[in-house]
Amino acid sequence: MTDQATTATKKLFIKTYGCQMNVYDSQRMAEAMGAEGYVLTENQADADMVLLNTCHIREKAAEKLYSDLGRLKPLKAERPDLKIGVAGCVAQAEGAEIQRRMPIVDLVVGPQAYHRLPAMARAGGGVDTEFPAEDKFEHLPKPAATRRAPAAFLTVQEGCDKFCAFCVVPYTRGAEVSRPVSRIMAEARDLVARGVREITLLGQNVNGWHGEGQGGEWGFGRLIRNLAEIDGLERIRYTTSHPNDMADDLIEAHRHEPKLMPYLHLPVQSGSDRILKAMNRKHTAEQYLRLIDRIREARPDIVLTSDFIVGFPGETDQDHRDTLDLVRKVGFGMAYSFKYSPRPGTPAYDRPEVDSAVADARLQELQALLTHQQKATQEGMVGREMGVLFEKPGRLPGQMIGKSDYLHAVFVDAPDAQVGDLVRVRIRASSSNSLAGELAA
Ligand code: SAH
Ligand code: SF4
Ligand code: F3S
């Protein structure tokens, strides 16, 4: 072997499942491993290390890990020096059990311990699912001053204290923690200096963020107003929010802050008060509807999206009709709907389940209504003019793809444009999952 081969950089392949927080974490892990001489590769077969950043939210999501590990077996047999790591929420929930089930796994690292990943990799493996006292963000290497894509994520809050009866997040991500104002501001400024024009603030309960800022305790609305003062930062978004943390200062930020985009993902899960209570959501359908009224009063053009669970234990036909009713009253721009999946360790796990075929039928009915509303929302954009931030070139010559203020993907014919341009676009047409538009004169 030549010297060159032994000193060559190592290649890291990361596969990310689950929510945007995992996308952010994968990026941070890539940076941490970058400091160890690893570069990212798109080709798994070519990698020195494969890292699977997993999601535990529903059974199907968690099982994907094991099917992927099964597919990695031949590669590991061929190249025993290949390191296989499991990160994220399955790592947290199952820990060393993953290695017992799949001995090809060298290391398991939970979402709060991944700043220790480089040391684990150097040691050749291990299991770390602690919730360490130190702030992982402070122990990660500072990213190199490379250019970034125009839209970026920034985690400002992690964990959850709400304990909805169906949900694993309080167990996999731990207690609610808000990152301090100064660190968030510094990271945002750094992103903008590297070409970022849109930041999506992330947290499992992002609108529950609070911190000590100038003049005392800040709420999330105040944080947004402060971020909006950064020159060069043009757009701010946030996800995911809980209805009970939608404070007045955040609603007011939607009224007064033009950089805060008119889009809000506000999961409600069900439209039935009985089910909301059984889920431990701590609000009624009526309270959610009144909240939506107040948000729309502040920002009439806001697009609202949501999450729903159908077939939660105890759900009757009437409860399901109440959900459809709520959907009709709100008119969502888009929503995710899931069939309830019982998760070990959660309060609802042992409750008697709704008949699976009944739950499937309800899911179909709800999805049909939501698809109809999504189509109506998109068609309502046709003829309107709005901002679009170009994120990548399209397949056709001269075409750009970007996101509208309302987070729709928009295809635009713009031969002279660059990735990162924020332009005014008139929407011409709507198709199933995107819009088409032309540069406004
Ligand atoms: N923090 C967010 C949700 C995070 S999980 C909130 O409070 O709304 C994302 C979505 O997954 C949830 O909104 C819920 O709709 C769905 N989900 C969570 N646990 C689930 C389960 N056990 N079965 C089916 N869907 C689930
Ligand atoms: Fe899960 Fe509920 Fe917390 Fe959302 S608020 S992360 S659904 S426990
Ligand atoms: Fe999944 Fe963990 Fe996110 S369970 S949805 S990856 S917080």
Side-chain angles (χ1 to χ4, degrees), residues 120-378:
M120 289 172 81
R122 258 177 264 133
V127 177
D128 192 341
T129 54
E130 274 183 53
F131 288 123
E134 75 260 18
D135 175 352
K136 71 178 172 216
F137 297 109
E138 284 314 288
H139 287 77
L140 287 165
K142 292 278 163 285
T146 46
R147 270 308 285 163
R148 288 278 304 254
F153 292 137
L154 199 176
T155 293
V156 300
Q157 180 278 336
E158 278 205 272
C160 184
D161 298 337
K162 295 226 162 26
F163 292 94
C164 300
F166 49 82
C167 183
V168 297
V169 170
Y171 314 98
T172 62
R173 293 275 171 167
E176 257 179 66
V177 179
S178 294
R179 291 181 70 194
V181 174
S182 57
R183 309 237 169 96
I184 296 168
M185 294 304 296
E187 190 167 328
R189 285 196 195 95
D190 173 65
L191 288 170
V192 171
R194 292 156 64 192
V196 168
R197 307 191 74 189
E198 170 180 314
I199 292 181
T200 302
L201 306 171
L202 298 181
Q204 269 91 19
N205 265 296
V206 72
N207 57 342
W209 178 93
H210 56 91
E212 277 300 309
Q214 216 175 8
E217 179 80 2
W218 286 14
F220 190 56
R222 179 77 192 269
L223 177 69
I224 288 174
R225 281 190 282 131
N226 222 63
L227 284 161
E229 286 172 17
I230 298 178
D231 276 342
L233 178 59
E234 306 295 343
R235 289 172 144 190
I236 300 171
R237 306 181 186 276
Y238 59 94
T239 199
T240 296
S241 297
H242 192 287
N244 289 355
D245 288 326
M246 229 33 235
D248 291 347
D249 76 330
L250 179 53
I251 298 177
E252 286 310 300
H254 275 288
R255 188 193 307 275
H256 294 297
E257 183 42 69
K259 289 185 180 179
L260 182 57
M261 290 293 102
Y263 179 97
L264 174 61
H265 184 61
L266 198 60
V268 63
Q269 316 297 353
S270 168
S272 150
D273 289 345
R274 275 187 60 243
I275 295 299
L276 286 168
K277 194 163 194 318
M279 287 176 163
N280 194 32
R281 290 291 291 185
K282 298 201 174 84
H283 63 76
T284 62
E286 189 58 27
Q287 284 166 335
Y288 183 83
L289 292 170
R290 294 292 74 81
L291 175 61
I292 298 297
D293 286 345
R294 286 174 53 222
I295 296 165
R296 281 193 166 139
E297 186 273 321
R299 184 76 208 229
D301 64 333
I302 200 161
V303 166
L304 293 158
T305 68
S306 198
D307 292 343
F308 292 89
I309 295 178
V310 302
F312 187 77
E315 187 186 71
T316 62
D317 282 338
Q318 182 58 48
D319 295 321
H320 175 61
R321 281 195 294 274
D322 289 347
T323 297
L324 297 175
D325 227 41
L326 177 137
V327 172
R328 283 190 202 100
K329 282 181 183 151
V330 175
F332 289 102
M334 194 275 300
Y336 299 102
S337 46
F338 310 101
K339 185 174 167 182
Y340 170 69
S341 167
R343 306 304 289 131
T346 59
Y349 181 61
D350 291 325
R351 297 183 196 167
E353 279 179 60
V354 168
D355 178 80
S356 179
V358 170
D360 284 335
R362 287 180 188 163
L363 185 62
Q364 271 195 7
E365 193 179 8
L366 176 60
Q367 284 181 344
L369 175 60
L370 291 169
T371 306
H372 174 78
Q373 292 192 343
Q374 178 174 344
K375 196 161 176 260
T377 305
Q378 285 188 201

Side-chain angles (χ1 to χ4, degrees), residues 17-19 21-22 54-57 89 168-169 172-173 204:
Y17 317 62
C19 63
M21 306 211 46
N22 264 10
T54 58
C55 174
H56 200 246
I57 202 81
C89 291
V168 297
V169 170
T172 62
R173 293 275 171 167
Q204 269 91 19

Side-chain angles (χ1 to χ4, degrees), residues 403-418:
K403 293 277 164 58
S404 79
D405 298 340
Y406 307 94
L407 207 58
H408 289 118
V410 188
F411 290 72
V412 185
D413 189 29
D416 300 325
Q418 310 274 324

